[in-house]
Each structure stands twice: as C-alpha cells, then as structure tokens.
Amino acid sequence: MSSFLAVATTVWGLVMALAPLLQIRLMVQTRDSSNVSLSWMGILVIGYVLWFSYGITSGALPLIIANTVSTLVGIAMIAVILYYRKPSRGAVSAVEDTQGAAA
C-alpha cells in the first residue's frame, strides 16, 4: 500500500504542479494578468520551496519531484503575470498629471 501511495501522490503532485499552465495559457491568449494575484502565487512558490526542502531533508522522493516541478511552474507563472501586468490606473493618472503640469 505504501508504494501505491508514493506513486499516486507523485503523479497527482505532478498534475497539481502542471495545473497553473492552464492559467498561463489563458494569460498569454488574453495578454492580460490583471485578474491573477501575484501575492497568491508568491505565497505558493514559497510553500513549494519549503516542501521541497522538507522532501530533501526527509528523503521523500514524491515531495522532491512534485515540488521541484511546482516551483519551476510557479516561477514561470510569476514571470508571465509580471510580463502581462498592465499598469494600474493610479500609475497612469500620475503620469498624465505630470505631463499635464509640464504643459
């Protein structure tokens, strides 16, 4: 039973690790990441690194494999979020106000 759980958790961990690729695909298609929380993804990546570290120290291969992939996909998602992040309205208004004051 233990070896079955090791395989099942590794496989499902990989499915979970790859799931953000669906959101990445949507952000690339729409060229917009304004509806995705950067803080949320940052918190998840920190968690992936911690679980990876725990997997290393305990020798748990399922944790190491799943959280290595999760960390890499999470970092990719953060990069895509930042790439497609549109400036906030406040930032645009501040630029417009500065240009208006100079005129």
Side-chain angles (χ1 to χ4, degrees):
M1 183 66 164
S2 178
S3 61
F4 168 77
L5 283 175
V7 170
T9 57
T10 303
V11 169
W12 197 251
L14 289 171
V15 170
M16 290 172 50
L18 296 172
L21 292 175
L22 300 169
Q23 187 67 44
I24 290 172
R25 183 183 63 151
L26 184 62
M27 287 187 289
V28 170
Q29 285 175 344
T30 63
R31 299 186 186 283
D32 182 27
S33 67
S34 61
N35 292 327
V36 182
S37 172
L38 182 60
S39 301
W40 165 74
M41 198 65 236
I43 289 168
L44 287 179
V45 168
I46 291 169
Y48 300 148
V49 171
L50 290 171
W51 276 107
F52 169 79
S53 300
Y54 178 72
I56 291 288
T57 60
S58 66
L61 195 57
L63 288 177
I64 295 167
I65 293 169
N67 287 289
T68 297
V69 175
S70 294
T71 300
L72 295 173
V73 172
I75 291 169
M77 184 151 168
I78 288 172
V80 172
I81 289 170
L82 292 172
Y83 184 79
Y84 288 112
R85 184 61 37 116
K86 295 187 167 111
S88 66
R89 291 195 177 264
V92 172
S93 297
V95 170
E96 290 171 354
D97 289 343
T98 304
Q99 290 174 347

